[in-house]
Amino acid sequence: EVQLLESGGGLVQPGGSLRLSCAASGFTFSTYVMTWGRQAPGKGLEWVSAILAGGGGTYYADSVKGRFTISRDDSKNTVYLQMNSLRAEDTAVYYCARGSSENTYVWFDPWGQGTLVTVSS
Amino acid sequence: QSALTQPRSVSGSPGQSVTISCTGTSSDVGGSNYISWYQHHPGKAPKMMIYDVSKRPSGVPDRFSGSKSGNTASLTISGLQAEDEADYHCCSYAGRYYMVFGGGTKLTVL
């Protein structure tokens, strides 16, 4: 069974940093794009970032570009999201999702259950 | 890139059909065959119900169908069941490795 399990969320002050992790199992992790999305309170889902198989390319939503960094460790079947210079508007449940192939992410399946990030003083 | 437009809420009685719309522009929905829909029960992982406009993943009931006309995509759920009550989100490829979601629609089964 394909599973994704996020961790690392919590409460952080504005301007602070946090690193999220997503541990994958049940599929050949190294051959898929991995992505992060989020859902702020009362809002819809938002695509945040993607990393191609083999780390061949990284992509970001405009709202996080320059502040967030996605990375992956294929030896640990884990994808990370380093979040710096956090703002109140980054408060959301963050989800990890598998992309559609090794170099595309035109759909997302499956998703993890999410980890909550709260940015507040 | 702006979020796609979905109705905030829709409702229907058991056994009825409902359609959820998702409106974008020629830069995303209108110009893409990569439209997907996700069912999200609060507190759980979102689940893909439709991909590539109208394809169903294995295990998704054929009561769920997707279509597109111009800049608007649609998700139709026929034979509504109580367990269909959830939030539904559309998503489109918007070019240059960018993906855009809609604001989500809350489906209430009366």
Side-chain angles (χ1 to χ4, degrees):
Chain A
E1 181 190 4
V2 176
Q3 286 192 327
L4 300 171
L5 183 62
E6 303 93 337
S7 61
L11 174 64
V12 61
Q13 292 188 337
S17 298
L18 211 55
R19 188 176 85 152
L20 306 183
S21 301
C22 171
S25 61
F27 66 100
T28 306
F29 179 80
S30 62
T31 63
Y32 281 91
V33 171
M34 295 302 296
T35 74
W36 288 94
R38 67 185 180 183
Q39 184 174 31
K43 305 283 189 179
L45 293 170
E46 179 188 13
W47 170 74
V48 171
S49 183
I51 184 166
L52 304 188
T58 57
Y59 305 91
Y60 301 92
D62 291 341
S63 57
V64 306
K65 198 173 296 182
R67 300 186 299 121
F68 290 12
T69 302
I70 190 172
S71 61
R72 62 191 297 161
D73 185 339
D74 290 348
S75 69
K76 295 182 178 179
N77 287 356
T78 300
V79 60
Y80 304 97
L81 187 68
Q82 176 67 44
M83 305 185 295
N84 299 329
S85 302
L86 282 161
R87 307 166 179 166
E89 54 264 37
D90 295 317
T91 294
V93 176
Y94 284 73
Y95 297 95
C96 166
R98 188 178 67 176
S100 40
S101 76
E102 65 180 318
N103 55 11
T104 66
Y105 48 98
V106 293
W107 38 260
F108 308 102
D109 180 60
W111 298 61
Q113 293 214 329
T115 185
L116 176 63
V117 172
T118 303
V119 184
S120 175
S121 54
Chain B
Q1 283 83 348
S2 300
L4 308 176
T5 301
Q6 297 181 234
R8 294 280 288 183
S9 64
V10 298
S11 62
S13 299
Q16 288 186 333
S17 294
V18 295
T19 296
I20 300 171
S21 61
C22 171
T23 301
T25 68
S26 58
S27 297
D28 38 64
V29 174
S32 175
N33 288 322
Y34 299 121
I35 310 298
S36 51
W37 289 89
Y38 302 88
Q39 178 190 65
H40 190 196
H41 290 103
K44 296 199 170 183
K47 177 185 177 183
M48 187 172 73
M49 306 302 283
I50 296 288
Y51 68 102
D52 292 355
V53 178
S54 60
K55 297 177 181 177
R56 276 189 312 276
S58 172
V60 173
D62 60 7
R63 302 185 294 103
F64 290 84
S65 62
S67 63
K68 190 188 87 165
S69 177
N71 294 338
T72 298
S74 299
L75 173 71
T76 297
I77 309 170
S78 59
L80 267 179
Q81 299 181 4
E83 60 261 35
D84 298 334
E85 184 163 296
D87 297 324
Y88 291 85
H89 303 266
C90 64
C91 181
S92 172
Y93 178 64
R96 296 189 298 170
Y97 293 95
Y98 213 96
M99 299 295 287
V100 62
F101 281 90
T105 298
K106 179 177 179 58
L107 168 63
T108 300
V109 180
L110 301 171

